[in-house]
Amino acid sequence: MTNGNGTPPEAAQAPQLNVLAQYTKDLSFENPNAPSSLQQQGQPPQINIQINVSANNLSEQEFEVTLSVEGKAETAGKIMFSFELAYAGVFRIANVPQENLHPLVMIECPRLLFPFAREIIATAVRDGGFPPLMLDPVDFVGLYRQNMERQMAAQGGGQTGQA
């Protein structure tokens, strides 16, 4: 038995995740102390990276997911370089149970975007006169759990005595 287009009914309901578009929304690279920042430094720089994920519903099945990555390299109290990247994608998600939709959007979609964002950052840092910065893989499941715990704590706001 088929559903009219030649596929069995169970295949027609298979979960789908399609990437419709990927793009750089915002990119900033600063090398404020050049050319002195490009000289050999006495110690390796301290590098701090912040990663955030946000999502917007564009329609019932389409979501824009933005992976925001900010970083800064400092040595001896001086900024060597800093960057901000907002890299986004539009995803079509179909046949996914409602309870699985939020984790899918906030974990799997940024996981698909990350390698492209990583390459953009590595290239920007290299073009700024430094060795390419190769970001370590990100645990998006851990990041998601952290954000959910933070939201739960904020919603609980000072309430005590709950089981």
Side-chain angles (χ1 to χ4, degrees):
M1 184 166 172
T2 65
N3 65 0
N5 64 2
T7 59
E10 59 274 4
Q13 296 302 314
Q16 294 180 354
L17 171 62
N18 303 100
V19 182
L20 302 181
Q22 290 180 216
Y23 46 93
T24 300
K25 287 186 83 160
D26 185 31
L27 174 60
S28 170
F29 179 86
E30 296 180 21
N31 189 352
N33 294 304
S36 65
S37 61
L38 300 174
Q39 297 172 354
Q40 186 69 28
Q41 305 295 317
Q43 60 187 24
Q46 175 71 33
I47 299 176
N48 296 310
I49 306 290
Q50 297 275 324
I51 298 177
N52 290 301
V53 177
S54 61
N56 297 314
N57 284 55
L58 300 176
S59 69
E60 186 178 328
Q61 293 185 338
E62 293 182 5
F63 301 85
E64 179 192 48
V65 178
T66 303
L67 178 60
S68 300
V69 185
E70 295 180 27
K72 183 180 353 179
E74 295 180 277
T75 186
K78 283 189 163 184
I79 294 176
M80 294 179 69
F81 64 83
S82 64
F83 63 85
E84 294 179 19
L85 172 65
Y87 190 74
V90 176
F91 298 86
R92 178 176 296 134
I93 301 172
N95 305 322
V96 173
Q98 190 64 35
E99 64 273 10
N100 297 341
L101 189 58
H102 191 258
L104 181 68
V105 168
M106 300 303 283
I107 296 171
E108 291 305 319
C109 294
R111 191 179 314 204
L112 292 170
L113 295 173
F114 180 76
F116 300 96
R118 181 179 192 241
E119 176 62 28
I120 291 167
I121 291 166
T123 300
V125 171
R126 185 198 67 214
D127 290 349
F130 301 94
L133 177 62
M134 300 306 290
L135 297 178
D136 289 334
V138 175
D139 176 11
F140 286 104
V141 173
L143 185 63
Y144 177 76
R145 287 181 179 150
Q146 233 177 24
N147 287 337
M148 293 307 291
E149 288 170 6
R150 198 175 348 208
Q151 286 179 8
M152 295 296 275
Q155 288 175 355
Q159 297 177 359
T160 58
Q162 294 186 3

